[in-house]
Every structure is written in structure tokens, then in C-alpha cells.
């Protein structure tokens, strides 16, 4: 959201930003990370599996997050302040509806309209003041209070962000809680400099159980931590932060996430993730 300090070329993670990343042809690595974070954000929403939902994508950019939402069978509306990014989304013929707007002015939708909200690498820009009239705390509160109203009771908002410092993180969280949200920060891979990701997971209405961050299961003892560390180092070296899709590691991680969500999952066996032999 350029009007709140965001420039179109700064859509991806800071360590991967390049001068041309905001255009129509974006580096494949940035696209890959954007898709991974979108998948994780939708997962943290805890959406029902028996029906499609309507989601809001704040700072939707060229619609990469929306592509994942559509692939999961849900509907979405995207908001972004950059006409150029929305033009790219239109050219890509994304399935969601698009709205040119500065979320620092609020979320202009009727109460209870959305079943959830995600945002990838956008909300932290509301902490910047590009104009004399910009007041970051007020803009954040306007965003969170109107977002709270636009979300259905019992739904969630999952906002992935890159805070510059702890003060910025506290400012964002404080304004969200002031607006009525409950919840907190979910940090994936907190001990990794490259894979570490912040997700502000917010609940509307009744408080839910805050999901556990990925890569935090190894906190119980030295031996477990060492084994987990070795496993993650191998995975990061081979897949740069994430297991190869459909691999055994990827399947086991997905099953573990579903178990933490309280869903029924088949037990792991030596056949889990094993490919069938081709028939002749």
C-alpha cells in the first residue's frame, strides 16, 4: 500500500527484493515464497472444509495470494493501493474481485461480510507516515476497527508482516487489540534467520487457541532440539526453507499441522509418502 509507505516493488520478502520485483515478470523465488506464505496464512485461518468461504486479501498486489485461495475452492476480494499492481492482476485474469483503496482509511465493506482475512507483507507499511496528515497509530486503528466489523463472528484474520523492530510490532498488536481483536503472534522457525516468519493471528468474538508456530516443536530438551535442527538444516539446504511438495517430509508436516488443528488424520506408517510402482 504505497500511500502508507509501501512501494510496488517491495512486495516480496526483504531479503529477496529486487528493483524489478513489482512488475509483471516477477522473480520465481519471490513468487514461490509468496505462495508459501499464502498457503500458511490460509491454513492458520482454520476454515471449514465442507463449504467455500469469502476471504479478504489486504494488499493483494498482483493476485498471487488470491490464486492460492481460488485453488482451495474459496472466493476472495482483494484490496491494494497500487493501480499498477492491480493492473497486473487484471492482466493475469485472477478470479477474485479487486478494489483500489488505501486500507489506512478503513475497510469499506458491510458488517460480517467476510469469513476471514489474510495479508502478506503489507500491514507493516501502515506504520510509516508518508504525508504530514498520516498518523500511524490512527491509521492502524482505523484499519483494524473496520476490519473487525467486516469479519463474521468467530472468524480470523491472519496478517503476515515484516516488522522493522519490536516497537513497530508492539504498535501493530496494540492497535489490533484496541479494536477488539484477541489472539497474538505466531512465529514460524523462530531460530532461523532466513525462514523466520511473523503471522499476526487475530480472532473475532470468542477467543480461540493460538496455533503453534512451525519449527517450535523442538523446544523440549537438548536431544530433540539437536535432531530437529539437523533435519531442518537438510531441508533448508535442499528446498530453501520448505520441504519439496508431495515429498514424505511435506506430507508428514501437513499431517502434523492438521493434528494440531484437532482434525482427524491417519496414523503415520512406513508407507506414508511412498510412491506406487507404475503398472505395466
Amino acid at each position: 500500500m504505497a500511500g502508507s509507505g509501501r512501494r510496488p516493488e517491495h512486495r516480496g520478502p526483504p531479503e529477496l527484493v529486487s528493483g524489478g520485483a513489482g512488475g509483471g515478470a516477477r522473480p520465481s523465488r519471490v513468487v514461490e515464497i509468496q505462495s508459501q506464505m499464502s498457503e500458511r496464512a490460509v491454513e492458520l485461518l482454520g476454515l471449514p472444509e465442507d463449504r467455500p468461504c469469502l476471504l479478504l486479501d489486504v494488499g493483494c498486489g498482483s493476485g498471487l495470494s488470491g490464486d492460492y485461495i481460488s485453488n482451495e475452492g474459496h472466493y476472495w476480494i482483494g484490496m491494494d493501493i497500487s493501480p499498477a499492481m492491480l493492473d497486473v492482476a487484471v492482466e493475469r485474469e485472477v478470479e477474485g474481485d479487486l478494489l483500489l483503496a488505501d486500507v489506512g482509511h478503513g475497510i469499506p465493506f458491510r458488517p460480517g461480510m467476510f469469513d476471514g482475512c489474510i495479508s502478506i507483507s503489507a500491514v507493516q507499511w501502515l506504520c510509516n507516515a508518508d504525508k504530514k496528515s498520516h498518523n500511524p497509530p490512527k491509521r492502524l486503528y482505523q484499519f483494524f476497527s473496520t476490519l473487525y466489523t467486516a469479519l463474521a463472528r468467530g472468524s480470523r484474520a491472519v496478517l503476515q508482516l515484516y516488522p522493522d523492530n519490536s516497537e513497530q510490532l508492539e504498535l501493530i498488536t496494540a492497535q489490533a487489540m484496541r479494536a477488539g481483536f484477541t489472539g497474538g503472534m505466531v512465529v514460524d522457525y523462530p531460530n532461523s534467520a532466513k525462514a523466520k516468519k511473523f503471522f499476526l493471528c487475530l480472532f473475532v468474538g470468542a477467543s480461540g487457541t493460538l496455533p503453534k508456530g512451525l519449527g517450535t516443536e523442538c523446544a523440549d530438551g537438548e536431544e530433540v532440539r539437536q535432531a530437529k535442527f539437523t533435519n531442518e538444516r537438510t531441508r533448508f539446504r535442499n528446498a530453501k526453507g520448505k520441504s519439496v511438495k508431495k515429498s514424505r517430509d511435506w506430507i508428514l508436516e501437513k499431517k502434523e499441522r492438521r493434528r494440531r488443528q484437532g482434525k482427524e488424520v491417519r496414523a503415520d506408517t512406513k508407507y506414508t509418502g511412498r510412491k506406487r510402482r507404475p503398472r505395466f
Side-chain angles (χ1 to χ4, degrees), residues 49 71 93 137 238:
E49 297 183 349
N71 291 338
E93 298 182 347
N238 293 338

Side-chain angles (χ1 to χ4, degrees), residues 31-74:
V31 173
E32 178 187 352
I33 290 185
Q34 179 91 2
S35 299
Q36 291 175 1
M37 292 190 296
S38 302
E39 179 179 354
R40 176 61 170 152
V42 173
E43 175 192 322
L44 290 171
L45 286 178
L47 299 173
E49 297 183 349
D50 57 346
R51 64 177 178 85
C53 297
L54 177 62
L55 305 181
L56 176 65
D57 184 0
V58 171
C60 63
S62 61
L64 293 176
S65 301
D67 287 342
Y68 179 78
I69 294 173
S70 297
N71 291 338
E72 289 295 295
H74 302 297

Side-chain angles (χ1 to χ4, degrees), residues 28 42 50 75 119 176 190 198 237 258:
S28 58
V42 173
D50 57 346
Y75 304 101
S119 179
F198 292 88
R237 184 173 65 249
R258 288 180 173 270

